[in-house]
Amino acid sequence: EAQVTQNPRYLITVTGKKLTVTCSQNMNHEYMSWYRQDPGLGLRQIYYSMNVEVTDKGDVPEGYKVSRKEKRNFPLILESPSPNQTSLYFCASSIAGTRGGTQYFGPGTRLLVL
Amino acid sequence: AQSVTQLGSHVSVSEGALVLLRCNYSSSVPPYLFWYVQYPNQGLQLLLKYTTGATLVKGINGFEAEFKKSETSFHLTKPSAHMSDAAEYFCAVSVQAGNMLTFGGGTRLMVKP
């Protein structure tokens, strides 16, 4: 089954404790992206990647890191989480270079930073 | 820069009634427009999209949307609401090469029996 998976689905942590949210897709997509969803703000892009070893900032990259060492994986790293990073996070993937292409979303990771 | 505005963060309709979710965009170039749906505790799923060609676009689950360039709108409609349509709906725009999407704030649709 074609899908985007994220782990963990739920995470409670404390300020400053490094964490990683994993994202994996099995559709051989070049493009992958991370979004955060906050009430009333919709989804805002954090980082995206057009292919392996190619990443770039989205609209709200502060406090986040990413890496793309393999085509299928695109982990999101919070090196020193803060309470304002409490949010619902989505990973997405699609065929690269297609402006009208469909993005496929993972099920989301709900993060609470205390 | 592009932006998307969804009027009404919450919309409530009765089962069987018309569903109308509003989306307006701003863009300096011809946009590609999308509607995504998010069911509780799930990721987003594409409902429909407009790229080029026919301005009335049909999607899954009986939804459709019409691109109106003069009004910079892409409203989502469904003639008869079903309880299973209760979800959050997001309008999004793509205005540049690549895959970047700009999302509206979302509209939560509630369907009353």
Side-chain angles (χ1 to χ4, degrees):
Chain A
E1 179 190 357
Q3 60 182 352
V4 179
T5 57
Q6 295 178 228
N7 283 292
R9 294 288 313 277
Y10 303 92
L11 179 59
I12 301 174
T13 189
V14 295
T15 298
K17 185 176 182 181
K18 180 179 179 179
L19 66 91
T20 299
V21 183
T22 65
C23 172
S24 183
Q25 50 93 5
N26 63 0
M27 294 170 278
N28 202 36
H29 285 162
E30 296 86 0
Y31 180 90
M32 297 186 74
S33 179
W34 277 103
Y35 296 89
R36 60 178 288 173
Q37 182 183 2
D38 301 291
L41 298 178
L43 279 77
R44 294 177 294 167
Q45 191 175 52
I46 303 170
Y47 270 95
Y48 65 96
S49 170
M50 297 295 285
N51 213 325
V52 175
E53 302 291 1
V54 180
T55 63
D56 208 346
K57 297 176 181 179
D59 295 323
V60 288
E62 294 78 19
Y64 304 95
K65 285 178 58 177
V66 293
S67 67
R68 187 91 180 273
K69 293 183 169 54
E70 304 167 285
K71 196 173 187 179
R72 63 183 294 125
N73 296 323
F74 190 45
L76 179 70
I77 303 158
L78 284 71
E79 298 231 328
S80 184
S82 62
N84 64 13
Q85 294 178 296
T86 292
S87 188
L88 178 58
Y89 292 86
F90 287 101
C91 180
S93 74
S94 68
I95 299 171
T98 53
R99 186 179 150 200
T102 299
Q103 292 200 21
Y104 295 86
F105 285 81
T109 295
R110 191 168 293 278
L111 172 64
L112 173 61
V113 183
L114 300 173
Chain B
Q2 66 279 2
S3 67
V4 178
T5 302
Q6 292 183 237
L7 289 175
S9 59
H10 292 80
V11 170
S12 181
V13 300
S14 298
E15 192 172 20
L18 171 71
V19 174
L20 171 61
L21 304 182
R22 300 179 186 274
C23 173
N24 288 88
Y25 69 91
S26 67
S27 171
S28 58
V29 300
Y32 287 7
L33 296 156
F34 305 78
W35 276 100
Y36 281 85
V37 60
Q38 182 182 29
Y39 297 106
N41 299 314
Q42 294 186 29
L44 279 71
Q45 177 185 355
L46 182 69
L47 264 183
L48 51 80
K49 64 181 178 183
Y50 168 79
T51 55
T52 58
T55 56
L56 182 62
V57 180
K58 295 187 185 299
I60 61 172
N61 301 337
F63 283 93
E64 62 181 38
E66 186 172 12
F67 169 57
K68 292 187 176 181
K69 184 179 178 181
S70 61
E71 298 177 7
T72 61
S73 69
F74 191 57
H75 302 331
L76 182 70
T77 60
K78 181 174 180 177
S80 176
H82 192 272
M83 296 297 289
S84 61
D85 295 327
E88 189 153 20
Y89 293 78
F90 292 94
C91 183
V93 62
S94 171
V95 296
Q96 63 188 63
N99 307 68
M100 292 183 66
L101 292 175
T102 298
F103 285 87
T107 298
R108 184 168 298 279
L109 175 66
M110 294 166 284
V111 182
K112 299 175 292 186

